[in-house]
Amino acid sequence: MLAYLVIREGSKWTDVFRLIPGQSVTIGRAPTNQVVLKDERCSRCHAELFTSEGEWTLRDLDSRNGTSVSGTLVQGDQTLKPGDVIRIGNCQLAFVHDLSQAFPEGGSALRSAEEMTVRGTLPAGLDAASVLEDQEPAEITHRRGQTRFLEPREVDDDEKGVSKVGRAAAKLCRLAFELAKAPDSVSMAKLALAGLFEGTQMDASGLLLLRRGANGEPSAADLELIASRTETERPYHRVSPFLAATVLRESEAVLGRNVMGDSTLGSRDSKGDLFVTSVICAPIRRGKKVFGLIHLYSTSPNRLPDPDDLEFTLAVADTVAVALQNLSRRQELAENLNQIRDENVQLRERLGVQSEIIGKSRAMARVSDEIGRAAPTSATVLVRGESGVGKELVARAVHFSSPRRKGAFVCLNCAALSESLLESELFGHERGAFTGAVARKIGKFEASHQGTLMLDEIGEMSPTIQAKFLRVLEGHPFERVGGSEPVKVDVRVIAATNRDLEKDVTEGRFRRDLYFRLHVLEIYVPPLRKRPEDIPELAHYFFNKYNLETSRKLRGFTPEAMDQMVRYRWPGNVRELKNVVERAIVLAAGEFVGQEDLMLSKLPTTGDTGDLTVSNQEFKPISLAEMERRHILATLKATNWNKSQSAQLLGIERSTLDRKIRRYELAEFSPGRS
């Protein structure tokens, strides 16, 4: 027996579903169900319909809001009877054997067909049941790649009965579509004039735009002819200054007919005869801004424009204004994109290796970990290490990993400038502050506002600058050299030095309060000789870089050359390694960089205590404990008994150093003991 589910959502019947004996039907919100209900109160798999002993049975699938039949909540399986109404959320499903039971009023099924999702159309004389039983499959009757309304064509028989306004609207639609694709203003002007010739009774036209940089009120002298078009033997005659000034000043379109005797609106030929019979002049405007104007005129008394032509011209002018504004915006975006691309290329060239920290040793892993902990904060960072180890690289890594990464990163070497120039570079100066100050100069502090300022060789700063610098670090405003206006900035300071600041503080060369203000977070970058496992990686990086830059075809290092680089002490650290590899690539004669291509210096390394045995002395065997005792004592003397620095050089903790001093009874050798 036939059975149907007639689905009602809200106040409308929305679908009819035919139930087939032997096939179960699931109802729910998920699209995998046979009957999909778009109701928030319906579960994804809400209920199920199936046949049992020749009867249709409903089962609730543990839904969230339950299922009711004729007002009774379903518990377990419930057999359905014709006329039962299943309610799920706000949806109703009528169970019937005959569709006429769902629509008791005669013929209402035909009237409700538009509200039901029944495929196809109900032919006259057929009821819904016969349509459902004998329905033919749907078919695609028409396909088209592009709408015909955007195709340029002549007026055909189908359009002869269309009003002039309707035809003008269709032309405007096609014209706006073409103007949006125009690559430049000249192409746009030609398209606009072609559309005006098609839609108006004119035989000559011109499009004029205001020149860039025109200041004050727009005038006729500021107009530049972009494109013109004429269907007569005479060339296009430029709009009269009076008419152009009127349209630009009033920002309103003008239509003049029978103007042959009016020299202010008409135009004269080479003989001085007036030949213009009618004229239209419309401003190209967007809001209160005027871009230019469109000038149309007719030389034939038989071609007189009407107010509809004026309306069409004004509509074209407004469309051109929108297209010009979009074109200007596209060009501006393209220029900005090119500028940003150039800046990115320049930054990549300037940064080079500074964009990454190279090295996988345990010491560099510790440095990277310290950078990761320091970057999210705004605390002052003191980067310490020998010259050439990459202190600026560490400062850049801190900046570009911090929330200030979008701000500027400014670097200043304090050892490269005198005291007066350093003050001017840091805080800026006013015009006339000193000889040669011909204009106001913004200092590094202002330039790095909301960014990061790195001060390299901070230990070389004079005591006078240190005092002013300390006030700025404390959050106080400063004044430019020669100025009186206070300037307050938000800058994170990263200081770097290869000097022993503790020793400088003790000897009075560095302010004690500034030292403690800078020494909030400290990152120590070990020298290259302390991490020899990073030497091959750095050497290969610089090899690939300079091998590409010099267009050489070298294949690598010989094993002897690499072994010599690993054993070398590198007093100049990474900077020296970079220069040695670059020089070797330029001078190498073979396919590989050999040992003879490496020009290594014989300079002693800074910060080391030196060998405890002298080569020209006779060797005397001693125990390892005595060797350690002598080495620790020599290191303490080299650092003037600075235990923190000694512990760093020895690679041990401060507490471990104290235990060894007590164990070897070294305290008696300190400067304060006799």
Side-chain angles (χ1 to χ4, degrees), residues 41 53 58 118 136 184 210 268 352 492 542 617 654:
R41 300 183 61 187
E53 298 180 358
L58 175 67
V118 181
E136 295 183 359
D184 50 55
L210 292 172
R268 298 179 182 271
R492 179 181 191 175
F542 292 126
Q617 293 181 351
R654 169 70 181 268

Side-chain angles (χ1 to χ4, degrees), residues 216-263:
E217 292 292 331
S219 62
D222 298 328
L223 291 173
E224 180 182 2
L225 181 65
I226 303 300
S228 62
R229 179 171 175 171
T230 179
E231 294 182 351
T232 63
E233 297 178 356
R234 295 185 178 91
Y236 167 76
H237 196 284
R238 190 182 175 97
V239 61
S240 65
F242 172 78
L243 181 58
T246 302
V247 173
L248 292 176
R249 183 180 64 255
E250 303 295 338
S251 188
E252 293 183 357
V254 174
L255 165 63
R257 294 190 292 183
N258 299 320
V259 298
M260 186 170 290
D262 191 343
S263 60

Side-chain angles (χ1 to χ4, degrees), residues 124-308:
L126 293 180
D127 57 10
S130 59
V131 171
L132 289 172
E133 294 177 6
D134 303 323
Q135 179 184 348
E136 295 183 359
E139 61 178 350
I140 298 174
T141 59
H142 188 70
R143 295 180 9 165
R144 189 175 182 87
Q146 183 179 356
T147 173
R148 63 184 179 87
F149 294 115
L150 297 179
E151 297 177 356
R153 65 189 188 283
E154 299 294 334
V155 178
D156 51 23
D157 294 337
D158 295 337
E159 290 185 345
K160 290 182 179 179
V162 181
S163 66
K164 186 176 182 180
V165 176
R167 292 197 297 271
K171 293 174 183 176
L172 278 175
C173 178
R174 291 193 294 270
L175 180 60
F177 186 77
E178 295 296 330
L179 290 176
K181 298 188 297 182
D184 50 55
S185 57
V186 176
S187 303
M188 188 181 300
K190 292 180 179 179
L191 288 171
L193 296 182
L196 287 168
F197 266 66
E198 183 182 350
T200 62
Q201 298 293 323
M202 297 299 193
D203 53 24
S205 61
L207 192 147
L208 302 92
L209 296 179
L210 292 172
R211 294 185 180 91
R212 285 189 176 183
N215 298 322
E217 292 292 331
S219 62
D222 298 328
L223 291 173
E224 180 182 2
L225 181 65
I226 303 300
S228 62
R229 179 171 175 171
T230 179
E231 294 182 351
T232 63
E233 297 178 356
R234 295 185 178 91
Y236 167 76
H237 196 284
R238 190 182 175 97
V239 61
S240 65
F242 172 78
L243 181 58
T246 302
V247 173
L248 292 176
R249 183 180 64 255
E250 303 295 338
S251 188
E252 293 183 357
V254 174
L255 165 63
R257 294 190 292 183
N258 299 320
V259 298
M260 186 170 290
D262 191 343
S263 60
T264 60
L265 299 178
S267 301
R268 298 179 182 271
D269 57 13
S270 59
K271 298 179 181 181
D273 297 332
L274 290 165
F275 61 88
V276 174
T277 61
S278 302
V279 62
I280 293 178
C281 193
I284 302 174
R285 64 196 176 189
R286 182 67 174 164
K288 295 183 179 180
K289 184 177 181 181
V290 178
F291 297 95
L293 53 84
I294 292 176
H295 178 222
L296 304 174
Y297 62 83
S298 174
T299 60
S300 173
N302 299 325
R303 306 184 68 174
L304 295 177
D306 54 23
D308 289 338

Side-chain angles (χ1 to χ4, degrees), residues 477-661:
F478 62 90
E479 297 175 357
R480 303 186 188 95
V481 179
S484 58
E485 180 183 355
V487 180
K488 188 173 179 62
V489 293
D490 175 20
V491 175
R492 179 181 191 175
V493 174
I494 299 178
T497 184
N498 59 358
R499 298 185 52 153
D500 185 356
L501 291 184
E502 291 84 355
K503 182 178 180 181
D504 290 345
V505 170
T506 304
E507 297 176 356
R509 290 195 299 266
F510 199 82
R511 293 180 62 96
R512 181 181 298 269
D513 48 3
L514 178 58
Y515 168 76
F516 289 116
R517 185 62 183 82
L518 292 175
H519 199 259
V520 179
L521 297 175
E522 178 178 320
I523 298 178
Y524 174 72
V525 185
L528 191 56
R529 61 183 176 276
K530 298 292 185 180
R531 46 189 180 99
E533 57 268 35
D534 291 336
I535 294 176
E537 186 177 359
L538 286 166
H540 285 298
Y541 175 84
F542 292 126
F543 175 85
N544 295 330
K545 182 178 186 296
Y546 293 115
N547 197 29
L548 181 63
E549 289 184 1
T550 57
S551 300
R552 298 295 303 270
K553 304 296 182 182
L554 301 181
R555 299 172 60 182
F557 297 95
T558 62
E560 296 79 9
M562 181 59 68
D563 181 64
Q564 184 177 7
M565 286 192 293
V566 172
R567 289 186 290 105
Y568 181 59
R569 299 287 288 170
W570 296 108
N573 292 294
V574 181
R575 183 184 293 117
E576 182 186 5
L577 174 61
K578 171 185 174 183
N579 296 333
V580 166
V581 173
E582 183 179 8
R583 186 188 305 114
I585 290 176
V586 173
L587 300 179
E591 294 184 350
F592 292 88
V593 174
Q595 190 174 0
E596 65 280 2
D597 299 320
L598 301 176
M599 300 180 63
L600 304 178
S601 69
K602 297 182 180 180
L603 295 174
T605 58
T606 59
D608 279 358
T609 59
D611 293 334
L612 298 179
T613 59
V614 183
S615 59
N616 58 359
Q617 293 181 351
E618 183 181 357
F619 174 74
K620 296 180 179 180
I622 57 176
S623 65
L624 289 176
E626 179 64 20
M627 176 69 75
E628 184 180 46
R629 175 183 177 278
R630 293 183 182 184
H631 183 61
I632 293 175
L633 179 59
T635 304
L636 288 169
K637 289 182 178 181
T639 60
N640 197 21
W641 278 79
N642 186 321
K643 294 183 180 180
S644 297
Q645 187 176 2
S646 298
Q648 288 182 353
L649 293 174
L650 294 171
I652 60 178
E653 297 292 336
R654 169 70 181 268
S655 59
T656 304
L657 178 61
D658 290 333
R659 288 197 302 270
K660 291 183 181 292
I661 290 175

Side-chain angles (χ1 to χ4, degrees), residues 100-121:
S100 60
Q101 299 174 359
F103 309 100
E105 59 278 8
S108 63
L110 294 177
R111 291 195 299 270
S112 303
E114 295 181 357
E115 300 178 358
M116 297 168 56
T117 312
V118 181
R119 301 180 184 87
T121 308

Side-chain angles (χ1 to χ4, degrees), residues 25-53:
V25 177
T26 58
I27 305 172
R29 185 162 42 88
T32 54
N33 296 286
Q34 285 84 356
V35 178
V36 180
L37 300 181
K38 299 178 181 179
D39 192 313
E40 295 182 355
R41 300 183 61 187
C42 179
S43 301
R44 295 183 58 84
C45 294
H46 196 101
E48 181 183 13
L49 274 173
F50 57 92
T51 54
S52 176
E53 298 180 358

